[in-house]
Amino acid sequence: MRTNLTITESDGTTTKINEPGAVIDEAALSALTAAILDRAASARWVCCPDRCRPACPTAGMPTWSRSLQPYGCKVAVDTSDAPLAALAAGFGRAAPDLIKPNSEELAGLAGVDPEHLETALAQGNPEPVVNAALQLIERGARTVLATPRCGGCGAGQRDRQLAGHPSPDQAQEHRRRR
């Protein structure tokens, strides 16, 4: 459990203040995992939020994503830093159904500059964000919902269809590569 505070100014500038959260022991983490798996059979979606950290170790997200696969529920993950990197490293084995990276997270996974993504979006050009999301999809991510600071763009894939704002050339190239 942790406290989060979001302050939004009249010009739309948003500041988030997040407590780090409590660290739990291995027994409590095992109990939490068992409770999630117990309810997964009847769930349509299971969300693994970053709010689990620091309670969950870096390996927690890929382990949960992989453990939930046999239950037939969809898995959404919103995490960052080392847990996100560990999850992305295992996309081929345990990709969740949805990841929700912000600009910095998306840029880090795609190997691009986050300011380039933000600047392009601010100028009305979502192409760099779409390209970064498509890189993750090519690596095995199923759906990428990009949430840049300046907003206005989501990019991803669902049932081999592109969402967001890809150019016609990007969509055609992506279809050719599948």
Side-chain angles (χ1 to χ4, degrees):
M1 177 94 122
R2 72 180 193 165
T3 301
N4 302 308
L5 176 66
T6 301
I7 303 167
T8 304
E9 298 177 35
S10 60
D11 69 355
T13 302
T14 301
T15 301
K16 294 188 176 201
I17 302 169
N18 300 321
E19 284 186 331
V23 176
I24 61 175
D25 62 22
E26 192 63 39
L29 183 58
S30 293
L32 176 61
T33 301
I36 291 168
L37 295 176
D38 182 52
R39 288 164 181 80
S42 62
R44 292 180 58 193
W45 281 90
V46 173
C47 180
C48 302
D50 198 36
R51 278 81 179 149
C52 292
R53 289 188 309 132
C56 300
T58 297
M61 294 298 175
T63 299
W64 281 354
S65 185
R66 192 171 39 257
S67 297
L68 288 162
Q69 287 177 342
Y71 292 88
C73 58
K74 303 247 185 220
V75 178
V77 176
D78 180 6
T79 193
S80 59
D81 303 322
L84 180 60
L87 183 69
F91 278 166
R93 297 178 309 281
D97 296 283
L98 173 77
I99 62 168
K100 193 189 81 56
N102 63 29
S103 298
E104 290 180 8
E105 296 157 355
L106 179 62
L109 293 175
V112 298
D113 178 21
E115 288 306 316
H116 172 67
L117 299 180
E118 291 291 338
T119 300
L121 282 176
Q123 295 171 350
N125 178 13
E127 190 169 327
V129 172
V130 172
N131 287 338
L134 287 173
Q135 282 187 44
L136 302 186
I137 289 165
E138 292 296 325
R139 289 173 40 197
R142 293 190 184 117
T143 304
V144 178
L145 175 61
T147 57
R149 287 187 307 259
C150 68
C153 182
Q157 175 185 28
R158 180 182 172 146
D159 299 326
R160 308 304 283 172
Q161 298 295 315
L162 293 174
H165 304 283
S167 70
D169 290 340
Q170 286 175 306
Q172 185 175 29
E173 175 63 23
H174 182 70
R175 281 190 211 99
R176 267 198 305 267
R177 286 189 273 164
R178 350 181 226 160

